[in-house]
Amino acid sequence: MDARFLGITELTETPSVAVVIDVMRAYTVAAWAFARGAEKIVLAGSLDEALALKARHPDWVALKDGPPAPGFDAVNSPAMLRSADLTGRTVVQKTTAGTVGALAVKDASLVLCASFVVAEATARLLRTGGCDGVTFVVTGEDGRAEEDLACAQYIARRVTEPGTDAAEFLRRAGASRAAAELSEGVRQGAHPDDVALCLELDRFPFAMAAAWEDSLMVLRPRAVPAPTGGARV
């Protein structure tokens, strides 16, 4: 598999297959939302769009980066979301980097959104799909976020080398600037458990795919058949 690793601003053409990585915290949060029962996640292009969607659909759950704000129901924290009951709900998500990255490749034939918590399911979907070329969109820090790059490289390696160990990739992510800022309380709207939850490998057995639905970019969980032999996902 030919893998490219690009920041959002480095995307000069629409890739055929894109994997958008945001470990800390957009696509860890998204995975938790699905685990807590959410039906779908609408990826908003701006805070104003998120608020407008919430105004039209009061039963939707709107979340954003940073501290709580009027009109939003939650913040972009996996720890704060892990006890929520989202059964059957639609979530509207707007973050600084993750949602921006997905919208930047909205016209790709396949858009997957990923973090460590869905890494193996994502790799297995790419492996079984026979993807020859994949563009990994490293969303944080203009493509230089170590946690996102480490996750992207790990998933890419697992596609072709299923026995690849995650330890070094997780170490790099844990030593990243984002992890330090979350641990030290630099970022608002964070919980002390956020970093640990973002580094929880293969917590969920599904991948996450985004596609256009009724003029909205919608993220949904995608089941991936388990490997034979009872291997862990």
Side-chain angles (χ1 to χ4, degrees):
M1 183 187 75
D2 178 26
R4 297 192 305 162
F5 306 91
L6 300 176
I8 297 171
T9 59
E10 296 173 310
L11 293 164
T12 58
E13 59 185 14
T14 300
S16 176
V17 177
V19 181
V20 185
I21 306 291
D22 191 324
V23 172
M24 297 186 188
R25 294 162 285 171
Y27 295 131
T28 300
V29 166
W32 270 101
F34 290 131
R36 299 304 302 162
E39 177 185 350
K40 63 184 179 182
I41 298 174
V42 176
L43 305 177
S46 67
L47 293 175
D48 287 342
E49 181 186 355
L51 289 172
L53 287 167
K54 172 68 176 180
R56 291 202 298 272
H57 306 277
D59 58 323
W60 288 10
V61 178
L63 67 84
K64 60 177 280 293
D65 273 337
F72 287 89
D73 306 289
V75 295
N76 193 45
S77 161
M80 295 183 190
L81 203 66
R82 61 184 165 180
S83 61
D85 181 4
L86 298 175
T87 303
R89 305 288 294 277
T90 293
V91 174
V92 180
Q93 186 179 33
K94 170 65 181 85
T95 69
T96 306
T99 57
V100 175
L103 289 166
V105 291
K106 62 184 184 299
D107 294 322
S109 59
L110 176 64
V111 178
L112 301 177
C113 297
S115 63
F116 280 111
V117 297
V118 294
E120 178 56 26
T122 304
R124 194 159 66 246
L125 192 153
L126 293 170
R127 191 184 312 130
T128 58
C131 300
D132 295 326
V134 179
T135 296
F136 289 86
V137 183
V138 180
T139 61
E141 299 177 34
D142 294 324
R144 296 187 297 275
E146 187 65 14
E147 75 282 1
D148 292 342
L149 183 59
C151 184
Q153 291 172 340
Y154 174 67
I155 292 172
R157 186 79 63 84
R158 290 285 296 192
V159 174
T160 56
E161 301 175 38
T164 299
D165 185 78
E168 176 59 21
F169 299 94
L170 290 169
R171 185 203 64 76
R172 288 167 52 193
S176 67
R177 187 173 82 173
E181 289 179 351
L182 287 170
S183 297
E184 295 165 6
V186 174
R187 298 190 183 187
Q188 293 182 294
H191 185 282
D193 292 342
D194 278 353
V195 172
L197 291 176
C198 290
L199 299 179
E200 192 173 14
L201 184 68
D202 302 333
R203 176 66 178 81
F204 305 112
F206 52 80
M208 300 185 294
W212 281 110
E213 298 182 19
D214 299 324
S215 75
L216 298 173
M217 192 67 166
V218 175
L219 186 66
R220 293 183 184 270
R222 178 174 292 189
V224 182
T228 58
R232 178 175 180 262
V233 295

